[in-house]
Amino acid sequence: MGELVAVRAFEGLTGEVLAEARARVAAAAVAPGVGTLVEALRIRLASVADGVLAQVNAEVDGRRIRVQEVAAGLGDSLDRVADALRGRIRAVTGAWAPRPWPGPRTAALAVPVLPAVPVFVPAETAEVVEAAGAGTSSRIVRRKEPALVWCSPEAAARTMDAMDYDIHLFTDPATETDAVVYRVGPTGYRLARTVAAGPPGRRTVPITLSPHGAPRLTEAQAVERLEGAELPFLFFAQPADGRGRVLYRRFDGRLGLIAGRA
């Protein structure tokens, strides 16, 4: 499978290193079990403040997954992402079970959250604009405009797990408003909407509910609140149209914004 694995990497890596990355990820993809179809493997290697970020996107029996790990060196990041990929393939091909809480990234989410939070979406499903345009905050360097999926909070939580997100933005059919699920205590799953509403219906995911609607903020106000409170991310509603927005910190420390496609 190695020749089918696409690699996108930062400058300075040799062809031998990229070939090794392909081989290690391909080996991890075929290890979990016979009969599992793993395809569309894409590796991203990026230099970040803490070392090297290794990210893998793939399709497993037709379902999209993502894993990502950061380590001080390239070899360690590849070891970690290969282990994570094996575990994620086993998870999505077996009976679903809630991810343990606290998890390995709990420390990154330990700051208080106002009163709801945001999401990461894969770039291939979103329109992406690098750097802010005229009349927008210069501190926002990446913008994504995905077509939000209408689904139950439980389905959103399962997608969040499969894609290795700590938060996931979607549209809640019960209220017909934008909403997020995110990783936080005490159960590890929480739901917040742009408007306050009652708890979701029958469910098997242990989701708690934020009793508040998302705060209505301009982009500049959201940036000020996120940076002033040192939050990793912030879910807010645009005053003009009430649509949900997600402001988040990237691995490089700069800010990204996600807004559902109009």
Side-chain angles (χ1 to χ4, degrees):
M1 184 183 291
E3 69 276 11
L4 302 178
V5 182
V7 181
R8 180 162 58 94
F10 56 91
E11 294 182 2
L13 297 183
T14 66
E16 290 81 1
V17 171
L18 299 183
E20 180 184 358
R22 287 190 187 93
R24 291 170 72 174
V25 168
V30 299
V34 177
T36 299
L37 178 62
V38 181
E39 54 191 346
L41 279 157
R42 299 176 302 282
I43 305 170
R44 176 190 170 212
L45 302 174
S47 178
V48 296
D50 296 330
V52 177
L53 164 70
Q55 182 185 99
V56 176
N57 287 266
E59 291 184 8
V60 179
D61 289 343
R63 181 171 184 176
R64 295 173 53 248
I65 67 167
R66 187 192 74 158
V67 294
Q68 60 181 10
E69 296 288 340
V70 174
L74 177 61
D76 287 342
S77 66
L78 286 173
D79 286 342
R80 293 182 183 182
V81 83
D83 287 342
L85 179 60
R86 282 188 285 265
R88 187 60 40 77
I89 293 172
R90 284 193 295 267
V92 300
T93 54
W96 183 85
R99 276 193 287 170
W101 182 264
R105 288 196 292 265
T106 301
L109 299 175
V111 280
V113 175
L114 299 168
V117 287
V119 65
F120 294 94
V121 297
E124 60 268 24
T125 64
E127 295 179 3
V128 179
V129 179
E130 291 288 356
T136 60
S137 172
S138 61
R139 284 174 284 185
I140 298 173
V141 300
R142 187 175 179 89
R143 295 171 180 272
K144 299 181 181 181
E145 297 181 355
L148 300 186
V149 174
W150 285 58
C151 65
S152 69
E154 178 169 314
R158 296 188 182 200
T159 296
M160 178 175 67
D161 284 358
M163 296 300 293
D164 200 23
Y165 301 151
D166 288 313
I167 48 274
H168 182 52
L169 178 67
F170 66 105
T171 299
D172 174 31
T175 59
E176 298 187 357
T177 62
D178 298 336
V180 289
V181 289
Y182 57 98
R183 297 284 287 162
V184 73
T187 67
Y189 299 89
R190 191 164 178 82
L191 167 68
R193 302 180 176 109
T194 51
V195 296
R202 181 178 176 274
R203 59 196 183 276
T204 58
V205 178
I207 299 178
T208 59
L209 175 67
S210 171
H212 309 287
R216 295 204 167 218
L217 303 169
T218 65
E219 287 184 10
Q221 290 171 332
V223 169
E224 182 179 359
R225 181 174 292 195
L226 179 139
E227 294 191 332
E230 298 184 350
L231 300 172
F233 38 69
L234 177 68
F235 174 50
F236 66 101
Q238 171 69 22
D241 59 13
R243 293 294 304 273
R245 302 285 193 275
V246 170
L247 186 67
Y248 65 95
R249 295 186 189 275
R250 294 155 42 99
F251 272 100
D252 60 11
R254 297 182 293 175
L255 302 183
L257 181 76
I258 302 167
R261 190 176 303 164

